[in-house]
Short mmCIF file of all heavy atoms in Angstrom, two decimals:
data_model
loop_
_atom_site.label_atom_id
_atom_site.label_comp_id
_atom_site.label_asym_id
_atom_site.label_seq_id
_atom_site.Cartn_x
_atom_site.Cartn_y
_atom_site.Cartn_z
N VAL O 205 -15.23 -2.60 -5.90
CA VAL O 205 -13.93 -3.21 -6.17
C VAL O 205 -13.50 -4.11 -5.01
O VAL O 205 -13.06 -5.24 -5.21
CB VAL O 205 -12.86 -2.11 -6.41
CG1 VAL O 205 -11.49 -2.74 -6.63
CG2 VAL O 205 -13.24 -1.26 -7.61
N GLY O 206 -13.65 -3.61 -3.78
CA GLY O 206 -13.18 -4.36 -2.61
C GLY O 206 -13.98 -5.65 -2.40
O GLY O 206 -13.40 -6.72 -2.22
N PHE O 207 -15.30 -5.55 -2.47
CA PHE O 207 -16.12 -6.74 -2.25
C PHE O 207 -15.95 -7.72 -3.40
O PHE O 207 -15.87 -8.94 -3.19
CB PHE O 207 -17.59 -6.34 -2.07
CG PHE O 207 -18.47 -7.48 -1.65
CD1 PHE O 207 -18.35 -8.02 -0.39
CD2 PHE O 207 -19.40 -8.01 -2.52
CE1 PHE O 207 -19.14 -9.08 0.01
CE2 PHE O 207 -20.21 -9.07 -2.14
CZ PHE O 207 -20.08 -9.61 -0.87
N GLY O 208 -15.86 -7.19 -4.62
CA GLY O 208 -15.65 -8.05 -5.79
C GLY O 208 -14.36 -8.85 -5.66
O GLY O 208 -14.34 -10.07 -5.88
N THR O 209 -13.29 -8.16 -5.27
CA THR O 209 -12.01 -8.84 -5.12
C THR O 209 -12.08 -9.88 -4.01
O THR O 209 -11.53 -10.98 -4.13
CB THR O 209 -10.90 -7.81 -4.80
OG1 THR O 209 -11.02 -6.72 -5.70
CG2 THR O 209 -9.53 -8.43 -4.92
N ALA O 210 -12.79 -9.54 -2.94
CA ALA O 210 -12.91 -10.50 -1.84
C ALA O 210 -13.67 -11.75 -2.29
O ALA O 210 -13.30 -12.87 -1.94
CB ALA O 210 -13.62 -9.85 -0.65
N MET O 211 -14.72 -11.57 -3.11
CA MET O 211 -15.46 -12.72 -3.63
C MET O 211 -14.55 -13.63 -4.45
O MET O 211 -14.62 -14.85 -4.36
CB MET O 211 -16.63 -12.25 -4.52
CG MET O 211 -17.81 -11.68 -3.77
SD MET O 211 -18.73 -12.91 -2.84
CE MET O 211 -19.57 -13.79 -4.15
N LEU O 212 -13.69 -13.00 -5.25
CA LEU O 212 -12.76 -13.78 -6.07
C LEU O 212 -11.74 -14.51 -5.19
O LEU O 212 -11.43 -15.67 -5.40
CB LEU O 212 -12.03 -12.87 -7.06
CG LEU O 212 -12.86 -12.27 -8.18
CD1 LEU O 212 -12.04 -11.24 -8.94
CD2 LEU O 212 -13.36 -13.35 -9.12
N LEU O 213 -11.23 -13.77 -4.19
CA LEU O 213 -10.19 -14.35 -3.33
C LEU O 213 -10.74 -15.43 -2.41
O LEU O 213 -9.99 -16.22 -1.86
CB LEU O 213 -9.55 -13.24 -2.47
CG LEU O 213 -8.35 -12.51 -3.07
CD1 LEU O 213 -7.97 -11.35 -2.18
CD2 LEU O 213 -7.17 -13.45 -3.23
N ASN O 214 -12.06 -15.45 -2.24
CA ASN O 214 -12.65 -16.42 -1.32
C ASN O 214 -12.72 -17.83 -1.93
O ASN O 214 -13.18 -18.76 -1.31
CB ASN O 214 -14.04 -15.95 -0.91
CG ASN O 214 -14.54 -16.66 0.32
OD1 ASN O 214 -13.76 -16.91 1.23
ND2 ASN O 214 -15.82 -17.02 0.35
N ARG O 215 -12.26 -17.95 -3.18
CA ARG O 215 -12.24 -19.27 -3.81
C ARG O 215 -10.90 -19.94 -3.55
O ARG O 215 -10.10 -19.43 -2.77
CB ARG O 215 -12.45 -19.11 -5.32
CG ARG O 215 -13.75 -18.40 -5.62
CD ARG O 215 -13.91 -18.17 -7.08
NE ARG O 215 -15.31 -18.41 -7.45
CZ ARG O 215 -15.76 -19.56 -7.90
NH1 ARG O 215 -14.95 -20.58 -8.07
NH2 ARG O 215 -17.03 -19.70 -8.21
N ASP O 216 -10.69 -21.05 -4.23
CA ASP O 216 -9.42 -21.78 -4.09
C ASP O 216 -8.35 -21.10 -4.90
O ASP O 216 -8.10 -21.46 -6.04
CB ASP O 216 -9.62 -23.20 -4.64
CG ASP O 216 -9.63 -24.19 -3.50
OD1 ASP O 216 -9.21 -23.79 -2.40
OD2 ASP O 216 -10.04 -25.33 -3.73
N ILE O 217 -7.69 -20.10 -4.35
CA ILE O 217 -6.70 -19.35 -5.12
C ILE O 217 -5.31 -19.71 -4.59
O ILE O 217 -5.08 -19.64 -3.38
CB ILE O 217 -6.93 -17.83 -4.95
CG1 ILE O 217 -8.35 -17.44 -5.33
CG2 ILE O 217 -5.89 -17.03 -5.72
CD1 ILE O 217 -8.59 -17.27 -6.78
N PRO O 218 -4.39 -20.09 -5.50
CA PRO O 218 -3.03 -20.33 -5.01
C PRO O 218 -2.36 -19.01 -4.59
O PRO O 218 -2.70 -17.96 -5.14
CB PRO O 218 -2.32 -20.96 -6.22
CG PRO O 218 -3.15 -20.59 -7.41
CD PRO O 218 -4.54 -20.37 -6.93
N PHE O 219 -1.47 -19.07 -3.64
CA PHE O 219 -0.75 -17.88 -3.13
C PHE O 219 -1.71 -16.82 -2.61
O PHE O 219 -1.48 -15.63 -2.74
CB PHE O 219 0.17 -17.25 -4.18
CG PHE O 219 1.14 -18.21 -4.78
CD1 PHE O 219 1.03 -18.58 -6.12
CD2 PHE O 219 2.17 -18.74 -4.01
CE1 PHE O 219 1.93 -19.48 -6.67
CE2 PHE O 219 3.06 -19.63 -4.56
CZ PHE O 219 2.95 -20.00 -5.89
N LYS O 220 -2.82 -17.27 -2.02
CA LYS O 220 -3.83 -16.32 -1.54
C LYS O 220 -3.24 -15.33 -0.52
O LYS O 220 -3.48 -14.14 -0.59
CB LYS O 220 -4.95 -17.13 -0.89
CG LYS O 220 -6.20 -16.38 -0.64
CD LYS O 220 -7.27 -17.39 -0.37
CE LYS O 220 -8.30 -16.88 0.59
NZ LYS O 220 -9.35 -17.87 0.81
N GLY O 221 -2.44 -15.88 0.40
CA GLY O 221 -1.86 -15.02 1.45
C GLY O 221 -0.96 -13.95 0.87
O GLY O 221 -1.05 -12.78 1.23
N LEU O 222 -0.12 -14.35 -0.07
CA LEU O 222 0.81 -13.40 -0.68
C LEU O 222 0.04 -12.32 -1.44
O LEU O 222 0.33 -11.13 -1.31
CB LEU O 222 1.76 -14.15 -1.62
CG LEU O 222 2.73 -13.25 -2.38
CD1 LEU O 222 3.77 -12.67 -1.44
CD2 LEU O 222 3.40 -13.99 -3.52
N LEU O 223 -0.96 -12.76 -2.24
CA LEU O 223 -1.73 -11.79 -3.03
C LEU O 223 -2.46 -10.81 -2.12
O LEU O 223 -2.48 -9.60 -2.38
CB LEU O 223 -2.74 -12.52 -3.93
CG LEU O 223 -2.12 -13.33 -5.08
CD1 LEU O 223 -3.19 -14.12 -5.81
CD2 LEU O 223 -1.43 -12.39 -6.06
N THR O 224 -3.04 -11.32 -1.02
CA THR O 224 -3.74 -10.44 -0.09
C THR O 224 -2.77 -9.41 0.49
O THR O 224 -3.08 -8.23 0.57
CB THR O 224 -4.39 -11.25 1.04
OG1 THR O 224 -5.06 -12.36 0.45
CG2 THR O 224 -5.38 -10.43 1.82
N THR O 225 -1.58 -9.86 0.87
CA THR O 225 -0.59 -8.94 1.42
C THR O 225 -0.20 -7.88 0.41
O THR O 225 -0.11 -6.70 0.73
CB THR O 225 0.68 -9.71 1.86
OG1 THR O 225 0.29 -10.76 2.72
CG2 THR O 225 1.64 -8.79 2.58
N LEU O 226 0.02 -8.30 -0.84
CA LEU O 226 0.40 -7.33 -1.87
C LEU O 226 -0.70 -6.29 -2.06
O LEU O 226 -0.43 -5.11 -2.24
CB LEU O 226 0.67 -8.05 -3.19
CG LEU O 226 1.97 -8.86 -3.25
CD1 LEU O 226 2.05 -9.66 -4.55
CD2 LEU O 226 3.19 -7.94 -3.14
N LEU O 227 -1.95 -6.76 -1.98
CA LEU O 227 -3.07 -5.83 -2.17
C LEU O 227 -3.21 -4.85 -1.00
O LEU O 227 -3.85 -3.82 -1.13
CB LEU O 227 -4.38 -6.61 -2.33
CG LEU O 227 -4.56 -7.26 -3.71
CD1 LEU O 227 -5.76 -8.20 -3.71
CD2 LEU O 227 -4.75 -6.20 -4.78
N LEU O 228 -2.59 -5.17 0.15
CA LEU O 228 -2.70 -4.28 1.30
C LEU O 228 -1.79 -3.05 1.17
O LEU O 228 -2.00 -2.05 1.84
CB LEU O 228 -2.28 -5.00 2.58
CG LEU O 228 -3.17 -6.12 3.05
CD1 LEU O 228 -2.72 -6.59 4.41
CD2 LEU O 228 -4.60 -5.61 3.14
#
Side-chain angles (χ1 to χ4, degrees):
Chain O
V205 177
F207 188 69
T209 313
M211 285 291 287
L212 291 172
L213 271 172
N214 197 39
R215 302 176 140 265
D216 251 345
I217 305 279
F219 305 112
K220 194 165 148 178
L222 176 71
L223 291 174
T224 314
T225 307
L226 288 173
L227 284 171
L228 293 188

